[in-house]
Amino acid sequence: MITALRGMKDIIDDAPKYEHILNTAIACAKRHGFSFIDTPILESTALFRRSVGESSDIVGKEMYEFIDRSAESVCLRPEGTAGVVRAFIEKKLDRSNGTYRFFYRGAMFRHERPQKGRLRQFHQIGVESFGQKSVYEDAAVILLAKDIFDALEVKYKLEINSLGCVNCMPKYKEKLSAFLDMQDDLCEDCKRRKATNPIRALDCKNSACKSVYENAPMIADFLCDECKKDFNDLQDILNQNGVLFSHNKKLVRGLDYYNKTAFEFISVEIGSQNAIGGGGRYDKLVEQLGGKPTYAVGFALGVQRIYDLVNPPQSKREGVYIGAIDDEEIAHIFSYAAALRKKVKTFIEYEPKKLAAHLKNADRLNAEICAVIGEEERANGAIWLKNLANGDESRPPLSRWLESDFN
Ligand code: HAM
């Protein structure tokens, strides 16, 4: 038997949750003025190397990259931001100086060690906002994430930090590098991070490293005046708008493109993979990928991470199930079903069956009405109906029933 690959899951039993999360998040994103964008799953490998960054675990060890039949190095996207930025530049939107707000949803791929809440193919819902320098926009995307989690009744903790900018971050990195140089017991990953992007070390899950970093210099103490002001303003705006948060000074995010605001939504109700969403500002990325300098901020949430936290509303009985007792009626019910589908959700059964079997089918499909034609109905130009929601049975004339409006 051929099975799905390790870390990749079919969405069958969880389909109602998946749909509920998607529909809820998309409705919120639209209310916040974001419009739909979809970008290819397969992109040039260079796109992620230049955006997500060589020092990240994602690029360092998790990408599904391969050489395609045109000898090009391509990669299944590990995240959504880079593709949206590429599309934004390719469409020359960076030259218009306008504000553009996009949302997307789709599969992302990371070759991680699978465990609960951590898949190799997983789904994100993300938003990217371009063109706004104001820290109000950072607050606005955080409010959007909050609205989504609130609408889904998912409880979370919000952690925020500022990662500084080109003025203050390099000075901090120097300090941190000097600190790291003095440590003897860093894990192999942190030794690599020390050379590529030292701040990524603060994100290390190794307990020995973690205790070393308790005494590390923190970016919060190195922010320039502008970054300090923006970060203070962000906290004020969140406070004024009823958003609870804490300042996690060690929050650095797993991708290299962020500056200033970085944030993560954490659940305390799931296991170790507790980040249910994350994002931040990335004002240099458009330029880094060849576009005009453009302010940008966004986030993505992990659909599978919140499966256990959502309860989709019980689906109501809906639609018509139509079946026949004898073979002669199948061609007719096929035509009736074609007409019904223009007005109402319709299920059809092609096998002639006894009434009890049809009722069982209709019940399994969660239909509201079970409609069956047998000998008696055929003789009288009628149809037998049972409303499975309230148990009512009737036998109206077929033509009248087909013309009803099914509201
Ligand atoms: P990220 O933090 O790497 O950010 O991923 C966002 C969310 O995707 C995580 O918080 C988590 O819920 C989910 N996720 C990540 N990896 C996995 C996995 N292996 N299995 C299941 N869920 C996972 C980004 O991807 C950025 N592009 C977010 C962003 C958008 N920043 C700015 N704009």
Side-chain angles (χ1 to χ4, degrees):
M1 186 176 67
I2 299 174
T3 57
L5 298 175
R6 193 163 127 75
M8 311 217 166
K9 284 214 169 105
D10 304 304
I11 300 172
I12 299 180
D13 292 343
D14 288 319
K17 288 190 176 188
Y18 180 85
E19 260 195 300
H20 175 58
I21 295 167
L22 224 63
N23 291 341
T24 306
I26 289 173
C28 289
K30 285 184 176 171
R31 270 205 310 277
H32 282 246
F34 285 71
S35 45
F36 179 56
I37 188 170
D38 194 31
T39 61
I41 286 172
L42 198 63
E43 295 268 11
S44 143
T45 305
L47 175 65
F48 302 107
R49 290 196 177 281
R50 280 167 56 184
S51 54
V52 177
E54 300 285 348
S55 76
S56 66
D57 284 352
I58 297 176
V59 169
K61 42 188 189 186
E62 295 169 1
M63 290 218 290
Y64 277 88
E65 58 179 293
F66 58 96
I67 305 296
D68 75 1
R69 289 169 193 272
S70 321
E72 252 184 84
S73 177
V74 295
C75 176
L76 293 176
R77 63 180 178 198
E79 59 103 49
T81 309
V84 173
V85 171
R86 183 208 37 72
F88 178 79
I89 300 168
E90 207 169 321
K91 184 94 183 116
K92 301 187 171 49
L93 300 178
D94 53 328
R95 303 197 194 165
S96 80
N97 294 323
T99 299
Y100 295 88
R101 297 187 177 95
F102 297 110
F103 74 86
Y104 53 89
R105 86 284 159 278
M108 309 292 157
F109 301 82
R110 297 183 191 175
H111 197 275
E112 300 189 77
R113 198 170 42 77
Q115 63 179 84
K116 188 167 164 44
R118 186 160 75 192
L119 295 163
R120 289 181 173 171
Q121 176 178 334
F122 58 98
H123 292 78
Q124 282 187 347
I125 299 166
V127 308
E128 313 295 351
S129 162
F130 297 99
Q132 286 289 336
K133 180 174 195 275
S134 168
V135 74
Y136 275 104
E137 191 68 0
D138 308 42
V141 300
I142 291 175
L143 275 172
L144 168 52
K146 175 189 185 304
D147 275 2
I148 294 173
F149 290 130
D150 287 350
L152 290 167
E153 296 178 13
V154 166
K155 294 198 200 81
Y156 57 81
K157 278 190 176 156
L158 168 63
E159 295 184 345
I160 62 170
N161 196 14
S162 173
L163 299 176
C165 66
V166 284
N167 297 321
C168 48
M169 179 47 101
K171 285 180 209 139
Y172 169 64
K173 274 189 184 165
E174 262 174 42
K175 276 271 182 242
L176 184 62
S177 288
F179 170 85
L180 295 174
D181 280 341
M182 290 186 310
Q183 312 305 321
D184 301 323
D185 304 323
L186 299 183
C187 71
E188 286 309 308
D189 277 339
C190 283
K191 284 183 191 154
R192 181 171 58 87
R193 288 165 183 149
K194 203 167 72 171
T196 49
N197 186 1
I199 66 160
R200 295 277 309 118
L202 299 181
D203 199 26
C204 186
K205 304 289 179 282
N206 180 304
S207 51
C209 293
K210 269 184 171 172
S211 65
V212 167
Y213 301 144
E214 286 303 320
N215 301 314
M218 292 294 150
I219 177 70
D221 303 318
F222 291 83
L223 293 179
C224 64
D225 288 347
E226 188 191 303
C227 288
K228 218 181 278 172
K229 179 177 185 316
D230 277 353
F231 192 51
N232 286 337
D233 287 352
L234 174 66
Q235 298 181 61
D236 288 345
I237 300 166
L238 294 178
N239 280 326
Q240 283 153 15
N241 287 276
V243 185
L244 299 177
F245 62 89
S246 58
H247 178 188
N248 175 354
K249 294 184 178 181
K250 285 204 215 115
L251 176 69
V252 290
R253 306 280 296 130
L255 309 95
D256 288 352
Y257 48 62
Y258 296 107
N259 65 311
K260 294 196 176 180
T261 307
F263 58 89
E264 255 169 28
F265 285 84
I266 311 287
S267 167
V268 286
E269 294 168 69
I270 50 180
S272 61
Q273 299 305 306
N274 60 2
I276 54 176
R281 188 164 267 281
Y282 50 95
D283 294 330
K284 293 286 156 203
L285 186 55
V286 175
E287 194 178 352
Q288 222 168 293
L289 291 176
K292 267 184 62 180
T294 305
Y295 297 107
V297 56
F299 72 85
L301 60 87
V303 176
Q304 281 82 6
R305 288 268 166 98
I306 54 175
Y307 272 175
D308 289 349
L309 305 173
V310 300
N311 289 309
Q314 279 288 315
S315 58
K316 287 202 318 261
R317 288 196 173 278
E318 191 196 350
V320 173
Y321 166 99
I322 188 163
I325 310 267
D326 317 298
D327 210 22
E328 304 90 273
E329 281 303 319
I330 300 297
H332 293 134
I333 64 162
F334 185 84
S335 311
Y336 305 153
L340 288 169
R341 278 189 203 106
K342 295 189 173 41
K343 303 194 264 193
V344 63
K345 179 169 167 179
T346 305
F347 306 96
I348 181 170
E349 169 59 54
Y350 305 123
E351 288 289 316
K353 286 186 195 327
K354 294 214 171 81
L355 190 59
H358 282 307
L359 282 165
K360 208 165 148 193
N361 271 355
D363 185 43
R364 188 178 53 78
L365 291 163
N366 215 17
E368 186 183 4
I369 307 287
C370 178
V372 179
I373 298 190
E375 206 176 322
E376 195 181 329
E377 288 75 29
R378 188 164 60 244
N380 297 314
I383 186 152
W384 182 86
L385 303 177
K386 177 162 183 167
N387 183 317
L388 298 178
N390 60 21
D392 287 354
E393 292 180 22
S394 59
R395 195 179 267 112
L398 175 64
S399 55
R400 198 186 76 201
W401 180 67
L402 286 174
E403 278 161 21
S404 53
D405 55 17
F406 292 94
N407 284 327

